[in-house]
Amino acid sequence: MLCVLVFSLLLNIIHSVFAIPAHLSEPAVKHEWPDIPVGWERHSVPSADHLIDLKIGLKQHRIDELIDTLYEVSDPFHSKYGQHLSRLEVEKLVAPHPSTIEVINTWLHSHGIHHEEAVAWNSAGDWISLRIPLAKVESMLSTKYHTFRHKTTNELAVRTLSYSLPRHLHSHIDIVQPTTMFDRMRKMQVTSHVNPPDDTISDISLVADVTGPAGQNISASCNRTITPTCLMQLYRTEGYVPQAAKRGNRIGINGFLEQFINFADLQTFFKMFRPDAIGANVTVLSVNGGLNDQSIPGVEANLDNQYTVGLTFPTPNIYYTTPGTAPTINDSVTPPQRDEPYIDWLNFVLSHDDMPQVFTTSYGGDEQTFPKDFAIRACNMFAQLGARGASVMFSSGDGGVGAGTCETNDGTNRTIFQPVFPATCPFVTGVGATFNIAPERGIGFSQGGFSVYFPRPSFQNQVVPPFLRKLGKTYAGLFNPAGRAVPDVSAQGEGFQVVVGGKVESVGGTSASSPTFAGIVTLLNDARIARGKPTLGFLNPLLYSIGKPGFTDILLGNNPGCGTPGFNASAGWDAVTGLGTPDFVGLRALVV
């Protein structure tokens, strides 16, 4: 009897010491939308046993230290420039504090979820994944999910307008997904048409050349159609022979939305536009079961890969195919819903010791459609790539200063310019678009502006204020002048000749600009590796300092949207073309 009393007393003491105060365990809202996001409507109530692939992003304990280190190794004036971190060094900085692991496991156990049975942790320990019925998710998040339908596309998504966590978990969890993210990731591509047989590329030997900004000869046909030869002439990579293809230099291309690269089309492209590359290929890596169906050639996938290889051959090109289609409702023949591919891809790449030194992605969505906590967490993962020596390019978008009505989705329905995420993340390089040659002009769809989520980074402090002063009070209230400004740079984005299904299509969009600029960066890395130097890594601090003379300033063009003429291209940085377009010869002299 005495033993029972002592044991009971010990249990009470333990409970009193370790029990979470009631006010801390009460649910508190983590994120909510005031209204159903624009373009969506309630459709139905999903089944309680509908399976959800839940992802929980745990607080990264030393993320501020990682970002400080990123800036040190990316600043060409810092003594640590180029001293990039290893995978293990990065993972130590983003790993959760042990107390976070403890409280998360306790929370999961309280809902009948045991680590060894149902929970998968990524290599850094800052993401956990579990596949559980909707009813359990609703209990864990104190919420109710609905099936929502997109009014234009009829896409269906199981989402909630609000979710909560026990108050004491807010300091341990950054995000839980899928919950309130209604973003419709889209390809950054505005024009695509099949050229008639007599409207393909002319023999450049029969057309008089024009003079480029550095005095170089450029085929006049490049004013109408873009090929690898046009880009090599315009951006002065013609004649450069890559030297580090066998010394580890690589470029990575991201594919989402079931966009597949077609190998037969790639060889046809080589025969037409890069004969010396015939027989070369792209290595395809599958992320979480991503496919590469050769019966469905993708315009986006073919564009990205044909032009990265077209510019960088014989440098190895890696194509990542990641599941991430339009949101779907699972049934007996539909695979599990996978509509948040950024995190899947980032975790995959970051889990490997070895990875390409350059990445290009031609996808994105209006910043406001991403919950801010999601955008920040994904942005910090791009910072991890930069800390490890990778340069990350994203298309800046194809909506000018914003497509459609440009209404806010915070319940006020105000008109505001709409920048695109992830290009607004300060740790990636946003790429806008130009067209024409001698001179190049900013093209109307080139999306540019200012982030609402991310403040202006210090590397932009010298170039953005002069643009704002010239702008004056124009568009006051329509954008955040203190926000991170995009794009950073630009490149050609219209009339790209792409082989799709054996035929040439003319494609435009910042989806063409991003792989083009990424190809130039890959060649710069090649030159640095050949000289025994580290790769460029996170580019922006360098671009906005010693790199500025390596760009051709674009002085013409504007990017209308939201019922306005948009911003104007002008001397110096502008919100249409950024710092301008690359001059490989000039940049190589600055960075090698």
Side-chain angles (χ1 to χ4, degrees):
M1 184 66 176
L2 179 62
C3 291
V4 173
L5 290 173
V6 171
F7 181 70
S8 177
L9 179 61
L10 286 173
L11 284 179
N12 288 333
I13 293 172
I14 292 172
H15 179 75
S16 66
V17 172
F18 292 100
I20 298 168
H23 73 282
L24 293 181
S25 60
E26 294 173 355
V29 173
K30 182 67 173 171
H31 183 260
E32 65 179 344
W33 296 118
D35 295 306
I36 298 175
V38 175
W40 294 86
E41 64 183 3
R42 281 193 175 89
H43 176 271
S44 57
V45 177
S47 169
D49 59 4
H50 172 82
L51 291 177
I52 294 286
D53 290 318
L54 201 67
K55 294 181 177 65
I56 303 173
L58 306 185
K59 189 73 67 176
Q60 298 170 313
H61 182 47
R62 298 163 63 192
I63 186 63
D64 291 340
E65 185 177 340
L66 178 130
I67 292 172
D68 288 344
T69 301
L70 169 66
Y71 277 111
E72 290 176 351
V73 301
S74 307
D75 178 357
F77 300 106
H78 199 281
S79 61
K80 291 185 178 180
Y81 179 68
Q83 298 178 27
H84 303 122
L85 305 184
S86 68
R87 175 181 66 84
L88 292 178
E89 288 172 329
V90 167
E91 289 183 351
K92 286 180 181 178
L93 293 175
V94 301
H97 191 276
S99 63
T100 293
I101 304 298
E102 182 179 351
V103 298
I104 294 303
N105 278 329
T106 299
W107 174 58
L108 293 176
H109 292 168
S110 72
H111 287 277
I113 300 170
H114 299 285
H115 173 273
E116 64 277 6
E117 297 174 3
V119 181
W121 297 68
N122 72 336
S123 58
D126 59 336
W127 280 96
I128 59 178
S129 304
L130 52 158
R131 194 176 187 211
I132 53 179
L134 180 64
K136 186 176 287 292
V137 176
E138 291 179 332
S139 174
M140 293 171 64
L141 303 182
S142 301
T143 191
K144 184 68 177 175
Y145 279 73
H146 289 84
T147 300
F148 293 87
R149 184 185 75 88
H150 193 270
K151 297 176 183 178
T152 302
T153 65
N154 291 320
E155 298 166 11
L156 298 177
V158 176
R159 292 290 186 271
T160 180
L161 296 180
S162 172
Y163 75 99
S164 300
L165 291 169
R167 193 177 302 276
H168 73 282
L169 293 183
H170 281 228
S171 60
H172 297 282
I173 292 178
D174 282 337
I175 61 170
V176 181
Q177 295 291 345
T179 50
T180 56
M181 192 171 85
F182 284 76
D183 170 67
R184 293 179 57 250
M185 173 192 276
R186 62 183 183 271
K187 301 182 290 293
M188 291 303 144
Q189 184 186 106
V190 294
T191 59
S192 177
H193 61 271
V194 178
N195 289 321
D198 61 349
D199 193 26
T200 54
I201 306 305
S202 303
D203 184 344
I204 62 173
S205 65
L206 302 179
V207 183
D209 291 346
V210 297
T211 302
Q216 76 271 40
N217 289 334
I218 306 172
S219 302
S221 62
C222 299
N223 264 320
R224 179 171 55 90
T225 48
I226 293 295
T227 67
T229 297
C230 291
L231 297 175
M232 288 187 282
Q233 291 174 347
L234 180 59
Y235 299 138
R236 296 214 291 168
T237 69
E238 194 172 38
Y240 179 79
V241 179
Q243 307 163 66
K246 295 183 179 180
R247 298 175 63 179
N249 194 33
R250 287 159 297 163
I251 179 173
I253 305 96
N254 286 331
F256 304 108
L257 304 183
E258 295 187 339
Q259 279 285 309
F260 308 130
I261 175 180
N262 186 272
F263 300 133
D265 285 343
L266 185 63
Q267 295 306 313
T268 302
F269 180 84
F270 289 154
K271 291 175 184 177
M272 296 181 69
F273 306 121
R274 189 73 201 256
D276 60 326
I278 292 174
N281 213 333
V282 170
T283 299
V284 177
L285 290 183
S286 171
V287 179
N288 284 357
L291 304 176
N292 192 47
D293 190 336
Q294 292 300 288
S295 68
I296 314 175
V299 174
E300 183 65 66
N302 279 1
L303 163 66
D304 292 352
N305 287 276
Q306 288 172 15
Y307 276 85
T308 53
V309 179
L311 284 172
T312 67
F313 174 79
T315 305
N317 280 231
I318 314 296
Y319 183 63
Y320 295 87
T321 172
T322 305
T325 62
T328 59
I329 303 302
N330 303 342
D331 56 24
S332 60
V333 296
T334 302
Q337 183 170 306
R338 290 170 168 170
D339 54 351
E340 292 166 7
Y342 291 132
I343 301 302
D344 286 342
W345 176 78
L346 282 161
N347 273 322
F348 177 86
V349 172
L350 289 168
S351 69
H352 290 76
D353 288 304
D354 195 24
M355 63 182 184
Q357 300 89 342
V358 172
F359 293 100
T360 177
T361 308
S362 295
Y363 300 80
D366 290 346
E367 185 182 72
Q368 69 171 3
T369 65
F370 293 86
K372 186 175 181 180
D373 54 5
F374 177 93
I376 291 173
R377 181 57 185 260
C379 187
N380 287 344
M381 296 179 78
F382 292 122
Q384 292 174 238
L385 286 176
R388 289 182 55 183
S391 304
V392 183
M393 263 60 68
F394 269 88
S395 299
S396 71
D398 290 348
V401 292
T405 63
C406 298
E407 289 184 352
T408 59
N409 59 355
D410 59 3
T412 64
N413 297 327
R414 294 174 295 114
T415 297
I416 187 171
F417 292 166
Q418 298 290 342
V420 162
F421 179 83
T424 54
C425 169
F427 306 129
V428 309
T429 300
V431 187
T434 60
F435 74 120
N436 279 1
I437 56 171
E440 283 186 271
R441 302 170 59 98
I443 198 165
F445 60 71
S446 182
Q447 198 141 358
F450 300 83
S451 173
V452 175
Y453 289 171
F454 301 100
R456 183 195 306 151
S458 59
F459 55 75
Q460 292 189 318
N461 282 344
Q462 296 300 313
V463 301
V464 173
F467 174 79
L468 294 173
R469 287 194 292 272
K470 284 184 288 186
L471 193 64
K473 295 182 179 180
T474 305
Y475 304 141
L478 291 179
F479 69 95
N480 173 28
R484 185 275 201 263
V486 286
D488 298 298
V489 297
S490 53
Q492 286 281 311
E494 180 73 315
F496 278 56
Q497 303 304 286
V498 181
V499 177
V500 184
K503 299 180 180 179
V504 174
E505 296 191 17
S506 187
V507 180
T510 52
S511 62
S513 310
S514 183
T516 296
F517 187 77
I520 303 297
V521 176
T522 299
L523 295 181
L524 292 172
N525 274 340
D526 180 275
R528 285 179 61 86
I529 292 171
R531 294 284 296 272
K533 295 185 176 183
T535 56
L536 291 168
F538 173 40
L539 291 171
N540 296 355
L542 180 144
L543 298 181
Y544 284 91
S545 57
I546 67 171
K548 285 188 293 183
F551 288 86
T552 299
D553 197 2
I554 307 302
L555 305 176
L556 300 171
N558 63 300
N559 54 354
C562 304
T564 76
F567 298 114
N568 291 319
S570 58
W573 182 91
D574 59 68
V576 184
T577 63
L579 295 171
T581 57
D583 173 4
F584 174 73
V585 174
L587 284 169
R588 182 178 60 175
L590 294 169
V591 304
V592 175

